[in-house]
Amino acid sequence: MKKLIDKIKEFNALETIISIEVVLFLVAKLLYAVKMFSFSTVALPYTFEAWFDKIWTIITYGFFHYSFIDLFFNMLLLFYFGSIFLDYASSKKFWQIFITGIIGGGLFFMLSFQWLPDLYVNRVPLLGASAGLMAIMTYISMKMPHFQIKIRFVGFVKLIHILIFFIAFNLIQLPLGNPGGYFAHLGGLAIGFLFFSLEKSMQKPKNIFDKKTFNKSEYLPKQTKIDMLLDKIRQSGYESLTQEEKDYLFRQSDKN
């Protein structure tokens, strides 16, 4: 038992969130089956008036799923994109973007109902971690747009192309039913883009010619090494890198 507790304490943000989501799903389903729990307690209402009576739901809706299929695919995508995220950013930032994405997605969900109520044929509360997932996906796709992952039967695909596909899919689905969930996705996407934009705007532009003497031989080898590693990732995927090569890229990304 002590070993299990020690292992849990070592969890990063991704492992912690996935564990929480799975445990809460199982507990909620069990209690729901014996009529000791109602999903309406944690689901986000579609109106601000109803939300004011359950203010906590702006967070809790993102940690509960009614359907196992929703849980499975959300956690699968979160695992893939979250693993890449944590190679280039901290667990603290992961938590910040994920939680803010859930909040932003929830607010977008309620605002969309207030602005476009006619789209809502089925007026159901919001559940699921999709908005937080979209925030994580958007941030890392903007930060590493040319990073490629291998998809079975498809081949290597750039993160930015996957993001564009999800954006297009959500926009197409808006008028076809369940617009609330898709508006929440777009809210999470906006949060991920906002985090990336703020981070980029806060970075000081580098001027490699600001020194009295520009040593070309010092600059080119480092850039060449980075290019070689990126080529290796494009050809064989990120996992083909050695730990030393991963650490090197991580240090360079921190400097940028």
Side-chain angles (χ1 to χ4, degrees):
M1 188 65 180
K2 185 178 183 298
K3 288 183 178 180
L4 177 61
I5 295 174
D6 291 339
K7 181 65 177 177
I8 292 174
K9 288 180 180 179
E10 295 175 0
F11 279 4
N12 58 34
L14 175 62
E15 293 166 334
T16 302
I17 289 172
I18 291 178
S19 298
I20 292 173
E21 296 275 0
V22 171
V23 169
L24 288 180
F25 174 80
L26 295 174
V27 171
K29 279 294 187 179
L30 178 62
L31 294 178
Y32 180 78
V34 295
K35 299 181 179 180
M36 295 178 63
F37 174 78
S38 171
F39 282 96
S40 63
T41 306
V42 294
L44 182 68
Y46 47 84
T47 66
F48 282 97
E49 292 77 8
W51 173 53
F52 291 147
D53 292 330
K54 298 190 294 182
I55 200 80
W56 61 87
T57 55
I58 195 68
I59 296 291
T60 57
Y61 88 88
F63 288 91
F64 287 85
H65 294 76
Y66 186 78
S67 163
F68 173 75
I69 296 298
D70 289 341
L71 173 71
F72 177 78
F73 283 106
N74 277 345
M75 295 304 101
L76 182 65
L77 288 171
L78 187 64
F79 173 77
Y80 278 112
F81 282 89
S83 297
I84 300 170
F85 182 105
L86 290 175
D87 281 329
Y88 295 95
S90 66
S91 279
K92 180 180 179 181
K93 176 160 285 188
F94 192 101
W95 273 110
Q96 290 172 342
I97 296 177
F98 184 79
I99 296 297
T100 310
I102 287 175
I103 295 173
L107 292 175
F108 216 69
F109 166 71
M110 291 186 288
L111 284 171
S112 68
F113 177 79
Q114 190 161 326
W115 294 337
L116 303 166
D118 293 339
L119 283 178
Y120 284 78
V121 178
N122 299 317
R123 300 181 176 183
V124 294
L126 186 64
L127 278 175
S130 300
L133 163 64
M134 284 300 296
I136 293 293
M137 183 187 299
T138 302
Y139 173 84
I140 195 59
S141 296
M142 296 299 296
K143 188 176 180 67
M144 303 290 294
H146 300 296
F147 186 97
Q148 297 185 49
I149 60 175
K150 188 174 183 179
I151 300 176
R152 179 168 291 190
F153 307 123
V154 176
F156 288 99
V157 183
K158 293 181 179 180
L159 292 186
I160 191 65
H161 293 160
I162 297 175
L163 179 63
I164 291 172
F165 169 80
F166 272 94
I167 294 173
F169 178 80
N170 278 274
L171 291 175
I172 292 171
Q173 290 294 317
L174 280 177
L176 302 181
N178 187 29
Y182 298 114
F183 274 119
H185 297 173
L186 295 176
L189 186 150
I191 292 298
F193 182 78
L194 179 63
F195 266 89
F196 170 77
S197 299
L198 289 175
E199 181 182 280
K200 191 173 182 180
S201 67
M202 292 172 65
Q203 293 175 348
K204 295 181 180 180
K206 288 185 176 181
N207 183 0
I208 60 176
F209 298 102
D210 60 356
K211 296 182 180 179
K212 292 182 179 179
T213 303
F214 170 60
N215 190 337
K216 186 177 180 180
S217 64
E218 289 181 1
Y219 176 72
L220 286 179
K222 181 175 73 173
Q223 186 59 46
T224 301
K225 183 174 181 180
I226 293 174
D227 290 339
M228 289 175 62
L229 293 177
L230 292 178
D231 286 338
K232 185 176 180 181
I233 291 173
R234 281 192 288 271
Q235 293 174 9
S236 306
Y238 181 74
E239 292 304 321
S240 66
L241 298 182
T242 65
Q243 188 58 49
E244 182 180 352
E245 290 170 336
K246 292 178 182 178
D247 293 341
Y248 179 82
L249 277 182
F250 180 77
R251 289 196 300 272
Q252 297 309 314
S253 67
D254 270 354
K255 294 177 183 178
N256 295 331

